[in-house]
């Protein structure tokens, strides 16, 4: 009778353990849904949102909760896109697309977002593929708003590819829907995009009319930044139509308001347009002043973007480290819970065995069973310790992998800095070439005093063609990425001049010929001669690829 009571107690306890596991799993899935709901409502800060979405994703993966994994991946991709991490964003968005295999609505949403990310990263082929797929899915789902968004995105894509007929077609299709639904935010964007297309085609009056409509919608929405962009576009269209007084009034107003509100990017754009305007008015001092303001703001924005990218990369790195620590702690907690549960069950079994032994009054059998149970518990404890050590080792390996990823991000940032440095050199020299050419035309004037002033200013501009300072910045960035290039090149070809070494570096960077000519301040014909002489000094045979040869020096 006593033995029967012990067995009944075990029969009651074991099902209770299973019920507890089900309750824990149900609460965990509810927690995943709660976190994702907060993220969708956008009530969290970007860093906190990344942390919470990652937490939801890890929890959903541990539970094999497919809906939670898919939604977490989609939100993670969108959040990473907003802070500029395009590669990581695409990785999560493609994961979401795979998990939403049987959900056409979510697949359409994923495809249009993936297309947007590819468009921003200038991968126009993939952007077109996914956006067109999204458009077809929205048509099948009878979702006209989705169709309009996809067509607007296609219009923007074709504008980037300079296929203006297709760009206008899709933008006007999108405009028809948003105009009917009176969606002011979308209408402001669509009108501005159509204005940009007409501006690229040289139809400045039509461009101006669309910029005005975009401005009205931005103003009605209270979108200060958007309205300043529209005003600046209107001023630029005035300038291109030769209406310089109207262009000055609008562009100067945009410059003053952007400067007051500390909108650096728009201030830079307005300063650049003012520089072009004063150049056309032959007011060279003012043109140079606003050009200098534009360059200074470019450097400020470049520094801010670098700092932001570094901070975002550091945040993601720290997030991954925290997640690894949390996973390790949760695994340790889970193992501790299993040990506790096992100990509890073992204690019940021992009590049952003790009662059974007492009931049968077989003392010897009781002692042998107790000894065997103790040995089993010791073996379990050793196994658990081994599992904990293995998990810690995995965490250490994962941390090393994350550190390698951090180094890779830093390398990508340095490559971006090198490209931007080269672009800065190109833009500077192209403008100075244009300005020098105009000054030489003015120089032909018969007034002696004006001739001397212009001659002095021309010499000052010629001095700006000395690109030693810009080259030093370019060379320092280049050396950080390709540490051994100059040393190896000097060892094998010590007879190269300074300009030939610079030419080697720019060819290695894979710049276009017209970009290299602009940086070096020479014509395309002079560049071809310089390349020919360089090939002879390097001892290259006819037909040998100069880029591939220099690439081996990295």
């Amino acid at each position: 009778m006593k033995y029967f009571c012990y067995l009944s107690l075990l029969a009651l306890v074991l099902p209770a353990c299973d019920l507890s596991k089900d309750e824990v799993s149900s609460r965990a899935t509810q927690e995943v849904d709660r976190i994702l709901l907060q993220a969708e409502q956008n009530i969290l800060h970007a860093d906190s949102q990344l942390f919470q979405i990652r937490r939801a994703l890890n929890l959903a993966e541990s539970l094999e909760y497919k809906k939670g994994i898919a939604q977490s991946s989609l939100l993670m991709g969108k959040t990473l896109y907003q802070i500029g991490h395009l590669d990581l964003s695409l990785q999560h968005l493609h994961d979401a697309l795979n998990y939403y295999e049987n959900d056409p609505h979510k697949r359409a949403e994923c495809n249009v977002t993936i297309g947007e990310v590819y468009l921003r990263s200038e991968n126009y082929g993939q952007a077109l593929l996914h956006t067109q797929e999204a458009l077809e899915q929205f048509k099948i789902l009878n979702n006209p708003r989705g169709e309009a968004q996809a067509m607007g995105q296609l219009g923007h894509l074709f504008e980037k590819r300079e296929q203006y007929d297709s760009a206008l077609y899709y933008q006007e299709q999108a405009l028809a829907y948003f105009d009917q639904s009176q969606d002011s935010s979308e209408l402001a964007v669509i009108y501005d995009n159509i204005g940009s297309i007409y501006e690229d085609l040289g139809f400045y009056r039509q461009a101006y009319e669309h910029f005005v409509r975009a401005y009205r919608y931005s103003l009605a929405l209270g979108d200060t930044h958007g309205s300043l962009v529209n005003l600046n576009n209107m001023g630029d269209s005035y300038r291109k139509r030769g209406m310089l007084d109207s262009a000055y009034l609008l562009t100067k107003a945009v410059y003053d308001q952007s400067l007051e509100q500390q909108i650096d990017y728009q201030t830079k754009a307005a300063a650049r347009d003012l520089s072009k305007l004063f150049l056309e008015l032959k007011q060279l001092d003012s043109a140079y002043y606003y050009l200098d303001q534009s360059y200074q703001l470019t450097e400020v924005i470049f520094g801010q973007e670098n700092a932001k990218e570094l901070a975002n990369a550091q945040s993601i790195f720290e997030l991954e480290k925290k997640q690894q620590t949390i996973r390790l702690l949760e695994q340790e907690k889970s193992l501790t819970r299993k040990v506790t549960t096992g100990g509890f069950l073992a204690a019940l079994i021992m009590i049952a065995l003790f009662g059974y032994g007492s009931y049968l009054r077989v003392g010897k059998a009781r002692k042998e069973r107790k000894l065997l149970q103790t040995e089993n518990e010791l073996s379990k404890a050793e196994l658990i310790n081994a599992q904990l050590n293995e998990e810690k080792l995995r965490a250490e390996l994962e941390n090393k992998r994350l550190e390698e990823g951090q180094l890779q991000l830093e390398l990508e940032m340095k490559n971006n800095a090198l490209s931007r440095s080269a672009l800065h050199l190109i833009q500077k020299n192209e403008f100075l070439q244009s300005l020098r050419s105009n000054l030489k035309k003015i120089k032909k004037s018969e007034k002696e005093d004006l001739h001397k002033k212009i001659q002095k200013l021309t010499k000052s501009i010629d001095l700006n063609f000395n690109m030693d300072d810009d080259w030093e910045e370019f060379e320092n960035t280049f050396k950080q990425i390709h540490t051994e290039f100059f040393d190896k090149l000097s060892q094998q070809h010590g007879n190269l001049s300074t300009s030939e070494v610079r030419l080697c570096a720019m060819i290695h960077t894979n710049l276009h010929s017209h970009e290299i000519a602009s940086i070096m301040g020479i014509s395309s014909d002079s560049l071809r001669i310089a390349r020919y002489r360089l090939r002879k000094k390097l001892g290259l045979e006819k037909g040998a690829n100069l880029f591939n040869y220099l690439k081996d020096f990295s």
Side-chain angles (χ1 to χ4, degrees):
M1 182 66 183
K2 194 174 182 180
Y3 173 61
F4 176 75
C5 291
Y6 291 132
L7 291 179
S8 298
L9 180 61
L10 282 173
L12 290 172
V13 171
L14 291 174
C17 294
D18 292 337
L19 181 60
S20 177
K21 290 180 181 179
D22 292 339
E23 290 178 350
V24 169
S25 177
S26 176
R27 290 177 182 175
T29 56
Q30 291 175 4
E31 176 67 8
V32 171
D33 294 336
R34 183 189 67 80
I35 296 171
L36 295 178
L37 180 61
Q38 283 185 334
E40 287 178 338
Q41 294 172 346
N42 200 24
I43 62 176
L44 300 173
H45 187 268
D47 292 341
S48 300
Q49 183 157 317
L50 274 176
F51 181 82
Q52 293 295 348
I53 296 173
R54 169 60 73 180
R55 179 165 164 259
L57 179 57
N58 291 338
L59 186 55
E61 288 176 341
S62 67
L63 297 170
E64 297 183 356
Y65 179 32
K66 291 186 177 181
K67 178 183 175 183
I69 296 173
Q71 190 64 11
S72 299
S73 299
L74 177 57
L75 289 175
M76 181 68 77
K78 289 182 175 181
T79 305
L80 289 169
Y81 169 61
Q82 290 172 358
I83 63 175
H85 284 280
L86 305 185
D87 291 338
L88 286 175
S89 171
L90 286 171
Q91 179 182 333
H92 286 284
L93 289 171
H94 279 292
D95 288 343
L97 187 64
N98 292 332
Y99 275 102
Y100 281 129
E101 183 178 1
N102 298 318
D103 189 338
H105 296 275
K106 287 294 185 181
R107 285 186 65 82
E109 181 182 353
C110 287
N111 272 315
V112 77
T113 307
I114 291 172
E116 186 177 356
V117 179
Y118 275 126
L119 178 58
R120 182 172 170 182
S121 61
E122 299 183 358
N123 187 341
Y124 300 134
Q126 288 296 319
L128 179 63
L129 179 67
H130 285 277
T131 308
Q132 285 181 331
E133 185 173 349
L135 178 60
E136 293 303 318
Q137 290 167 338
F138 283 130
K139 287 181 179 178
I140 295 172
L141 295 169
N142 192 24
N143 184 341
R145 178 176 178 78
E147 290 182 52
Q149 289 177 332
M151 285 189 288
Q153 190 163 295
L154 283 171
H156 193 46
L157 188 155
F158 282 119
E159 180 187 356
K160 293 293 184 182
R161 297 176 68 170
E162 299 182 359
Q163 296 175 247
Y164 296 115
D165 289 343
S166 298
L168 272 176
Y169 169 78
Y170 282 108
Q171 293 288 10
E172 288 173 352
Q173 291 293 313
L175 178 63
Y177 170 80
F178 290 124
D179 190 34
Q180 183 179 3
S181 63
Q182 286 300 302
D183 190 329
S184 298
S185 60
E186 293 290 349
L187 284 170
V189 174
I190 295 295
Y191 275 121
D192 191 72
N193 288 342
I194 295 176
S196 296
I197 295 171
Y198 278 124
E199 189 174 38
D200 291 343
L201 291 170
F203 301 145
Y204 301 125
R205 177 174 293 280
Q206 292 93 324
Y208 173 80
E209 291 171 355
H210 284 82
F211 289 144
V212 169
R213 293 175 184 172
Y215 171 70
R216 289 171 182 167
Y217 282 110
S218 296
L219 210 60
L221 291 167
D223 183 3
T224 304
H225 184 247
S227 62
L228 288 174
V229 172
N230 302 142
L231 280 174
N232 197 66
N233 288 337
M234 291 160 60
D236 199 40
S237 67
Y238 272 133
R239 180 182 65 82
K240 291 176 179 177
R241 284 190 288 164
M243 303 169 67
L244 302 184
D245 290 340
S246 299
Y248 172 75
L249 291 174
L250 276 182
T251 310
K252 186 62 167 60
V254 172
Y255 177 82
D256 292 338
Q257 291 183 42
S258 301
L259 190 63
E260 180 181 353
Q261 298 178 29
Q262 297 182 344
I263 306 175
D264 291 338
Y265 183 84
Q266 190 55 47
T267 307
K268 184 199 80 169
R272 187 188 63 241
D273 288 345
L274 284 171
S275 175
K276 295 177 182 177
L277 178 63
F278 281 115
L279 182 62
E280 292 187 20
L281 291 169
K282 311 302 182 184
Q283 297 181 24
L284 303 181
D285 290 342
S286 297
Y288 183 79
Y289 169 78
Y290 283 108
L291 178 65
D292 184 61
Q293 291 293 307
S294 174
Y295 282 152
Q296 290 182 23
L297 286 168
T298 299
E299 292 177 359
V300 171
I301 294 169
F302 178 66
Q304 290 173 347
E305 288 178 350
N306 276 347
K308 183 178 179 181
E309 288 179 7
L310 184 59
N312 288 334
Q314 186 66 28
S315 296
I316 292 175
F317 177 70
E318 292 296 333
L319 172 63
E320 292 294 340
K321 287 185 68 175
K322 288 178 182 178
Q323 290 297 330
Q324 288 298 323
T325 303
I326 290 171
R327 278 199 289 267
L328 181 58
L329 291 174
E330 288 178 346
Q331 289 169 357
E332 290 178 351
K333 184 178 179 181
S334 176
L335 288 173
T336 302
R337 187 165 55 246
K338 289 179 181 178
V339 170
T340 303
T341 304
F344 177 68
L345 292 175
L348 290 176
I349 293 172
M350 287 177 65
I351 293 171
L353 292 174
F354 179 77
Y356 178 69
S358 177
Y359 179 75
L360 295 177
R361 300 183 183 281
V362 182
K364 184 178 179 179
R366 177 183 60 78
K367 291 179 181 180
E368 290 176 351
R369 290 177 182 273
K370 186 176 181 180
L371 179 60
L372 179 61
Q373 185 63 35
T374 302
E375 291 175 351
N376 287 336
E377 289 299 321
L378 289 173
S379 298
K380 289 180 180 178
E382 292 174 355
L383 178 60
I384 290 169
N385 286 332
Q387 290 175 339
L388 287 173
N389 290 332
E390 182 180 355
E391 292 297 331
K392 288 180 180 178
L393 179 60
R394 288 179 181 173
E396 291 174 357
L397 292 174
E398 183 65 15
N399 285 336
K400 289 182 179 179
R401 184 187 68 79
L402 291 172
E403 290 173 358
E404 292 174 357
Q406 176 73 5
L407 292 175
Q408 182 62 31
L409 284 174
E410 292 176 358
L411 179 60
E412 291 177 0
M413 289 174 61
K414 288 177 180 177
N415 276 323
N416 289 337
L418 183 62
S419 298
R420 290 172 182 169
S421 177
L423 180 60
H424 174 68
L425 287 169
I426 294 166
Q427 291 175 339
K428 172 188 171 184
N429 285 359
E430 285 179 349
F431 176 81
L432 289 175
Q433 286 173 352
S434 174
L435 188 58
R436 183 175 62 183
S437 176
N438 288 329
L439 286 173
K440 286 181 178 179
K441 292 178 181 178
I442 297 172
K443 184 179 176 181
K444 296 179 180 179
S445 171
E446 295 180 359
K447 293 182 180 181
E448 184 175 351
D449 289 340
L450 179 61
H451 175 76
K452 290 180 179 179
K453 291 179 181 179
I454 297 303
Q455 186 175 23
K456 183 177 180 181
L457 186 56
T458 305
K459 290 180 179 179
S460 176
I461 293 172
D462 287 337
L463 290 177
N464 275 279
F465 273 100
N466 184 349
M467 65 179 207
D468 285 344
D469 291 338
D470 290 329
W471 170 254
E472 182 178 351
E473 179 185 352
F474 181 91
E475 184 181 36
N476 288 336
T477 306
F478 188 92
K479 284 181 177 179
Q480 290 177 13
I481 302 172
H482 310 288
T483 55
E484 299 178 354
F485 178 83
F486 289 113
D487 292 337
K488 289 184 177 179
L489 185 65
S490 177
Q491 288 174 4
Q492 293 193 32
H493 302 286
N495 60 335
L496 296 179
S497 66
T498 302
S499 61
E500 288 170 337
V501 170
R502 292 178 178 178
L503 177 57
C504 289
M506 286 183 281
I507 292 173
H508 183 277
T509 311
N510 204 17
L511 294 175
H512 290 296
S513 295
H514 69 87
E515 294 173 335
I516 296 174
S518 176
I519 292 173
M520 297 183 71
I522 60 177
S523 66
S524 298
D525 292 335
S526 298
L527 176 61
R528 281 194 291 271
I529 294 171
R531 290 175 67 108
Y532 173 78
R533 291 173 177 171
L534 177 61
R535 292 176 63 90
K536 290 190 67 177
K537 280 194 175 184
L538 296 177
L540 295 183
E541 296 179 358
K542 186 175 181 181
N545 190 289
L546 180 56
F547 171 78
N548 290 336
Y549 178 78
L550 293 174
K551 189 176 180 182
D552 292 336
F553 284 90
S554 295

